[in-house]
Amino acid sequence: MITRRQHIANVALQLFGDKGFENTSTQQIAKAAGVSEALIFKHFGSKEQLLDFIIKSGYQRIIEHNRGGLAELDPLTFIHSVIDLPYKLVLEEPHFWKLQYRLADREMAQQQHERFMRPVPARLQAAFEQLGYPEPEKETRLLLLLIEALWKIEANKTDEHVREMLDFIKRKYEVQR
């Protein structure tokens, strides 16, 4: 059973993702959620605290849900799971990632994203080293740049070829001979 507090947060997430944080009032959230505006302030204190709750709880869900993929021991499988991550994450929580893209310059959103991504660069570099890539640090930086760009494209649905591009990148990263 979903709590009223979580229902408000879910509605706000969708509105913030679609319209932007600045362009969404607590009055709009209350109307869409079928609650009073006072109830939003009772549960969250302010619109900013509601946003912080959405960001923190969103990343908490994502970290818990994706723990297994980041623990992969096979280096090539790990690299491929990182390549698939933007598509998988946006598919699972499109409103959250659209909001996260809109909040790219907001400190709270940046901190949570960095916390989520923290283990990835070192693990990627180790995977490239295990596979014999001559410049694993550069491969790591390149792949992370590609993934970041594809995540932004997928979060905004500006290109229907993201899945195709991710598959192309996966073919580029195969066992070195």
Side-chain angles (χ1 to χ4, degrees):
M1 181 79 180
I2 190 167
T3 66
R4 191 170 287 215
R5 183 173 196 253
Q6 190 58 55
H7 173 66
I8 293 167
N10 291 347
V11 169
L13 169 62
Q14 190 168 4
L15 290 171
F16 290 161
D18 290 343
K19 296 180 174 191
F21 175 74
E22 290 80 16
N23 299 323
T24 304
S25 69
T26 52
Q27 187 176 24
Q28 291 170 318
I29 296 166
K31 184 177 180 185
V35 300
S36 70
E37 197 173 7
L39 189 61
I40 293 172
F41 293 112
K42 178 183 178 212
H43 282 297
F44 298 100
S46 69
K47 183 175 145 184
E48 286 75 18
Q49 288 173 319
L50 170 58
L51 179 64
D52 288 350
F53 173 81
I54 290 169
I55 293 168
K56 286 178 182 176
S57 62
Y59 272 108
Q60 185 176 4
R61 274 191 320 275
I62 290 160
I63 288 169
E64 288 171 9
H65 191 255
N66 291 285
R67 223 175 242 142
L70 296 180
E72 176 60 53
L73 296 178
D74 177 70
L76 188 57
T77 304
F78 176 73
I79 290 169
H80 286 192
S81 71
V82 171
I83 293 168
D84 284 332
L85 204 55
Y87 183 80
K88 178 181 182 272
L89 293 177
V90 173
L91 186 66
E92 290 171 356
E93 298 213 30
H95 294 292
F96 178 80
W97 290 105
K98 190 172 191 176
L99 173 62
Q100 186 64 19
Y101 173 76
R102 288 177 173 270
L103 299 173
D105 61 344
R106 196 175 191 97
E107 188 175 340
M108 162 62 86
Q110 288 173 351
Q111 288 173 348
Q112 293 298 315
H113 190 72
E114 287 170 11
R115 185 174 146 247
F116 170 64
M117 291 298 291
R118 190 172 294 137
V120 176
R123 292 280 328 280
L124 271 176
Q125 187 169 334
F128 283 123
E129 287 169 2
Q130 284 179 285
L131 292 171
Y133 279 80
E135 297 184 78
E137 184 180 335
K138 288 181 182 175
E139 292 291 351
T140 298
R141 290 197 320 250
L142 174 63
L143 185 55
L144 289 173
L145 282 170
L146 290 170
I147 289 168
E148 183 80 11
L150 291 171
W151 162 74
K152 288 176 180 178
I153 291 167
E154 184 64 18
N156 286 299
K157 296 292 184 200
T158 55
D159 187 344
E160 69 271 5
H161 302 289
V162 169
R163 181 77 244 166
E164 180 183 310
M165 188 55 65
L166 291 171
D167 290 339
F168 175 77
I169 295 168
K170 281 175 30 180
R171 287 191 305 274
K172 293 295 221 182
Y173 289 105
E174 295 292 340
V175 177
Q176 295 292 287
R177 303 199 194 292

